[in-house]
Amino acid sequence: VHIPDGYLGPQTYGAAYAIMAPVWAVASRIVSRTLRSRQVPMLALGAAFTFVIMMFNVPIPGGTTGHAVGAVLVAVLLGPWAACIAVSVALIVQAVLFGDGGITAIGANCLNMAVIMPFVGYGVYRIVASRSAARSPRRWIGAALGGYIGLNAAAFATAVEFGIQPLIAHDAAGHALYAPYPLSVAIPVMMVGHLVVFGVVEAVATGLVVAYLQRADASMLYGAPAPSPEPSPAGREAGGRP
Amino acid sequence: MKTSTKLWIGVIALIVLSPLGLILPAWLGAGTAWGEWSAEELRNLVGYVPARLGHISRIWHAPLPDYAFKGQEHASTPALSVSYVVSAVVGVAAVVVVALLLGKLLARREKSDAA
């Protein structure tokens, strides 16, 4: 779901940048209040993870490819605002160094994958996990479901951004100036791939890592209550359970 | 071993395995992601290159286009796999440096952060 340069007209990519500017400002402000300095390496780890997981193109045989993003996983670990920063860093590096996603489309791609995806996914996670214990299965189930719904929300937003282009701009011959497919094509094609395949990959990846961390170091989950079976927080670094 | 160390090892493992994201689609005959076609692919799909799309799509030439070296457009899958891993290393390094700098700039300094 990386929109390349040229697929969105200036009205659309400009609007996306206009939305992202204040979002990035608010994210920076909130992260500067909530992120502790020893969590900075975790922010880098989250950004690195999302970067590399997006390189795993998952094929639909004979069809197209798609990939997981990891934004909901980062949100479950660091909170949605830090996830916004981490995924934005990965997306900007992808666009600048690798031409994966356009320079003009950085705002739109960040809106889809660094805002809509982590916030929708984290919201689902919070609803499912509620106030359950740090090691409760509700947390990894919520994270997996959040990954699935979060990625599909991002794919839907992307499809709408693609699909409105022929409405916004076409020449006298009816040829589109930017992305050529209308909403009636873009939405079903994007959603089938993500609902059936890529969302499942996202859910499995997110659920597995969260389940692993619940056993290895449940204190890493953002906003989860301190794991109760541990007698004292001093045992945190030792990690192991009997 | 600290959990975060294990997670970094996980990221390194993903870097090493990343060519799967190239090999599996090639093997299963899956094409470009929907909506990410080049101008040429688009000409084959809809019969024309949308006028402004062709123009805007040339504004940026990435140093490692599509996670490959320049001039590798028709390279073999093994050759592309090598450049894919190199790209993953370069990309992860860049992302980590930027995120660390940004994090340092933003993060709350704690007096009681010795633990």
Side-chain angles (χ1 to χ4, degrees):
Chain A
V1 282
H2 287 62
I3 303 170
D5 279 321
Y7 279 75
L8 303 181
Q11 303 96 323
T12 316
Y13 70 68
Y17 268 114
I19 295 169
M20 282 313 296
V23 173
W24 279 321
V26 171
S28 304
R29 180 165 266 205
I30 290 178
V31 167
S32 71
R33 277 213 316 269
T34 56
L35 192 77
R36 285 162 296 172
S37 42
R38 67 187 152 90
Q39 285 180 306
V40 170
M42 283 300 295
L43 187 74
L45 179 65
F49 175 77
T50 61
F51 176 89
V52 74
I53 201 73
M54 287 192 252
M55 290 184 76
F56 282 80
N57 297 308
V58 179
I60 294 175
T64 65
T65 63
H67 54 76
V69 175
V72 179
L73 174 64
V74 181
V76 169
L77 299 185
L78 297 174
W81 293 101
C84 172
I85 303 269
V87 180
S88 295
V89 167
L91 291 171
I92 291 166
V93 167
Q94 285 171 336
V96 173
L97 292 185
F98 305 101
D100 192 10
I103 297 287
T104 55
I106 285 174
N109 285 321
C110 286
L111 178 63
N112 301 333
M113 287 182 273
V115 179
I116 293 173
M117 177 168 180
F119 277 91
V120 168
Y122 186 72
V124 171
Y125 164 74
R126 285 293 297 269
I127 290 167
V128 176
S130 183
R131 290 191 188 150
S132 59
R135 292 209 170 92
S136 160
R138 283 170 66 168
R139 294 204 175 258
W140 70 258
I141 293 167
L145 204 61
Y148 181 82
I149 295 171
L151 183 70
N152 276 289
F156 184 79
T158 309
V160 169
E161 289 153 17
F162 276 135
I164 60 176
Q165 298 310 312
L167 298 174
I168 294 174
H170 51 80
D171 60 20
H175 285 178
L177 298 179
Y178 308 104
Y181 290 108
L183 287 166
S184 58
V185 177
I187 291 176
V189 175
M190 284 289 277
M191 292 324 292
V192 168
H194 286 82
L195 286 167
V196 177
V197 183
F198 315 132
V200 177
V201 175
E202 183 84 46
V204 170
T206 308
L208 277 178
V209 177
V210 169
Y212 165 74
L213 286 175
Q214 283 184 294
R215 307 174 87 221
D217 186 356
S219 69
M220 278 186 164
L221 301 197
Y222 180 80
S228 50
E230 232 73 79
S232 79
R236 187 188 271 188
E237 287 293 327
R241 280 212 313 169
Chain B
M1 200 189 293
K2 276 169 69 178
T3 307
S4 59
T5 311
K6 289 182 189 161
L7 292 175
W8 280 112
I9 293 171
V11 167
I12 292 166
L14 288 173
I15 292 174
V16 174
L17 293 174
S18 65
L20 285 176
L22 193 71
I23 294 164
L24 286 180
W27 185 51
L28 290 169
T32 313
W34 199 87
E36 298 184 24
W37 313 282
S38 66
E40 291 321 301
E41 287 174 292
L42 206 48
R43 190 196 301 280
N44 295 332
L45 283 168
V46 292
Y48 64 95
V49 178
R52 306 256 178 82
L53 185 149
H55 181 69
I56 302 179
S57 67
R58 286 191 295 273
I59 67 156
W60 180 248
H61 295 278
L64 292 165
D66 294 324
Y67 307 91
F69 303 124
K70 280 187 175 150
Q72 271 196 322
E73 286 80 5
H74 304 291
S76 64
T77 306
L80 285 172
S81 298
V82 173
S83 32
Y84 212 63
V85 174
V86 172
S87 296
V89 172
V90 171
V92 166
V95 161
V96 166
V97 168
V98 174
L100 285 179
L101 288 175
L102 210 58
K104 272 236 151 64
L105 212 70
L106 293 176
R108 191 175 53 168
R109 252 173 266 259
E110 279 175 317
K111 284 163 243 153
S112 59
D113 221 21

